[in-house]
Amino acid sequence: MSDPIAVPAAAAAPDPARADADFLARVPRDFAREHGLLAQGEQDGAVLLAVTAATSAEAVWNTAVLLGRPVTTSQADPEALHRAIDGAYERASGGAPAEAKAESESSGHVISESGGDEDLDRLLAEADKDLLSTEGKAPLVRLMDRLLFTAVHRGASDLHLQPTADGVIIRHRVDGVLDQGRPLPQAYFRPLVSRIKVMGRMDVAERLVPQDGRTTVRIGERAIDVRISTIPTAYGERVVLRLLDSARQLIDLPDLGMPPSIAVGFQAAAQRSSGIVLVTGPTGSGKTTTLYATLSQLNAVERNIMTIEDPIEYELSSIGIPISQSQVNLKKGVNFANGLRHILRQDPDVIMVGEIRDAETARIAIQASLTGHLVFTTLHTNDAISAVSRLIDLGIEPYLVAASISAVLAQRLVRTRCTACGGAGGDCTVCGGSGYKGRTGVFELLVIDESVRHQISSAAPLAAIRSAAQAAGMRTFADEGQALIQSGRTTRAEVERVLNL
């Protein structure tokens, strides 16, 4: 298709009845409403689109690609056009007024809380009939809402749509583990992906380039922030939706599962007036949760506490904690390094940096700690000792690492035995037969005392630093994992899976 967009035609009053079934089947309702466009028959061999003055050329182009035909445009009054769009899609879906609940609004997509697996099966059947008849997409929109509600209801952190040769598998990550998933026919896949892209304000027509988007969905009073990622694969675009529930309870520091021997040393470092407190671990190990719990215990009345995060996972001010939170915005040129620089001009006492990713951020954080600021931040390392070598690998001099770090807390999350079935699994409805329900932390704390500081500043090997730390009383992951097994809170298999023992 060389140029699907023809010269605009004269203005015309939009008519819902002139929107053909092919347009209503191929162009999602949310996309039509968001960009302001509706098919109005044909003109000179092209699809005539009623648009508004604000409709972008990109949206018109994407519509032409979706339709697989050239289009021409005619400008219409925005209010009249949106009434016509609603009328056209309601006619195609049998006039179901409930469909308005799924529309994109400033407060987010509203999702019904009713129903369960039986309702999901019914929506699958409706969507199948709808796809075959090409009469609108109302059941498919409700199907996507149901998939999101089910994921939130199960406590999933991520919802996966994984295309295969035979169809698509819907999978949930619950307590850090992906489930086996539920298969759906191939016919649902592209419409579901299009629906997700519309919700995330992404390019519906682009299927060969990875894309990122975000949206907010509401379930009652709960607002769920949804981060969307797509990537092309051999069988189509794979989609992952990260679900961030703003209604979740902020965990208190004593509830993290930190044993007293570790909690005392960590809280002592967290109450200092300066220095760096590092929390390390892989993605999904609860680092940010630990930092939020720590910040919430600091006296924010007497201290100016500021953060730079990517993303802001929990708005602390919403529960009355006066902390200023800023977010990385790479499109606007705001990364961790320059965001931290600006924070230092705001007279902070305590700073949280979401992650040290490069030498520049590391150096600024270290200088901040050495000039009287208390800095909390994270690193991706396997254990506490490795954080030292990671900073040195970034180009930080060993003496600066030794002088600035107060403590390093490494952590993992292990699943705990289901109390309803005692870990037996089987037909347990509470844990879904896995034998596990919920998670608790496994921790390893490196306190930088004089002996450890001397080893670091003299660029000693990690083995020597580890020996000095253990001589000072540091307990390892293996020690703490064994304690959880002996207490019956988890199993040996789970500890070995998470800690790679």
Side-chain angles (χ1 to χ4, degrees), residues 110-152:
V110 181
I111 296 177
S112 170
E113 297 185 60
S114 61
D117 285 341
E118 291 182 1
D119 189 45
L120 181 58
D121 290 333
R122 177 181 59 79
L123 286 170
L124 285 171
E126 288 183 14
D128 184 54
K129 180 181 178 181
D130 180 62
L131 284 169
L132 293 174
S133 65
T134 68
E135 294 177 355
K137 284 293 173 289
L140 190 70
V141 171
R142 295 201 301 273
L143 171 60
M144 189 64 235
D145 287 352
R146 179 55 45 198
L147 293 176
L148 282 168
F149 172 73
T150 301
V152 173

Side-chain angles (χ1 to χ4, degrees), residues 46-357:
V47 177
L48 176 62
L49 293 180
V51 299
T52 72
T55 303
S56 68
E58 290 81 4
V60 175
W61 174 271
N62 284 339
T63 303
V65 174
L66 287 171
L67 296 175
R69 297 183 57 192
V71 301
T72 186
T73 60
S74 173
Q75 189 168 315
D77 175 72
E79 185 176 347
L81 177 57
H82 281 88
R83 283 199 304 267
I85 292 171
D86 288 339
Y89 282 91
E90 285 179 11
R91 286 165 60 96
S93 62
E99 192 54 30
K101 294 169 63 181
E103 293 305 312
S104 175
E105 299 173 353
S106 59
S107 60
H109 303 269
V110 181
I111 296 177
S112 170
E113 297 185 60
S114 61
D117 285 341
E118 291 182 1
D119 189 45
L120 181 58
D121 290 333
R122 177 181 59 79
L123 286 170
L124 285 171
E126 288 183 14
D128 184 54
K129 180 181 178 181
D130 180 62
L131 284 169
L132 293 174
S133 65
T134 68
E135 294 177 355
K137 284 293 173 289
L140 190 70
V141 171
R142 295 201 301 273
L143 171 60
M144 189 64 235
D145 287 352
R146 179 55 45 198
L147 293 176
L148 282 168
F149 172 73
T150 301
V152 173
H153 179 69
R154 293 181 179 176
S157 61
D158 301 87
L159 173 63
H160 290 234
L161 281 75
Q162 180 178 342
T164 67
D166 302 321
V168 57
I169 300 176
I170 306 297
R171 307 177 73 189
H172 305 89
R173 186 177 295 278
V174 180
D175 291 337
V177 178
L178 277 172
D179 62 16
Q180 294 298 312
R182 173 173 184 160
L184 296 181
Q186 184 69 42
Y188 298 115
F189 187 56
R190 278 198 175 180
L192 281 174
V193 174
S194 294
R195 166 63 181 167
I196 292 168
K197 286 183 174 180
V198 168
M199 293 173 67
R201 300 177 184 273
M202 301 156 73
D203 189 340
V204 177
E206 180 57 74
R207 300 190 182 100
L208 301 179
V209 176
Q211 295 189 60
D212 294 307
R214 63 177 295 179
T215 187
T216 300
V217 298
R218 291 190 173 273
I219 302 176
E221 297 300 317
R222 299 169 67 184
I224 312 296
D225 192 19
V226 182
R227 306 298 170 98
I228 304 166
S229 173
T230 69
I231 188 170
T233 70
Y235 298 109
E237 291 175 281
R238 178 173 181 140
V239 183
V240 176
L241 298 93
R242 169 65 56 88
L243 308 176
L244 303 174
D245 188 354
S246 63
R248 67 181 180 182
Q249 293 296 315
L250 181 65
I251 298 177
D252 293 328
L253 198 56
D255 297 330
L256 293 173
M258 205 178 287
S261 59
I262 290 179
V264 170
F266 179 73
Q267 291 192 55
Q271 292 293 337
R272 294 182 55 170
S273 60
S274 64
I276 293 180
V277 177
L278 278 168
V279 181
T280 76
T283 300
S285 59
K287 301 185 297 295
T288 303
T289 299
T290 296
L291 288 179
Y292 281 158
T294 305
L295 291 178
S296 69
Q297 288 205 339
L298 299 179
N299 190 334
V301 175
E302 297 178 356
R303 300 181 183 184
N304 178 18
I305 304 176
M306 304 186 70
T307 76
I308 177 72
E309 306 172 54
D310 183 25
I312 296 174
E313 295 187 18
Y314 194 103
E315 293 186 6
L316 297 172
S317 60
S318 66
I319 56 173
I321 301 176
I323 293 177
S324 299
Q325 295 173 269
S326 303
Q327 181 163 309
V328 166
N329 187 338
L330 297 180
K331 291 182 178 179
K332 300 294 184 181
V334 180
N335 56 26
F336 280 122
N338 57 34
L340 179 53
R341 281 199 190 91
H342 288 292
I343 284 176
L344 288 171
R345 299 169 189 157
Q346 293 284 311
D347 186 32
D349 298 296
V350 180
I351 304 167
M352 186 187 100
V353 182
E355 182 183 344
I356 289 181
R357 296 176 179 172

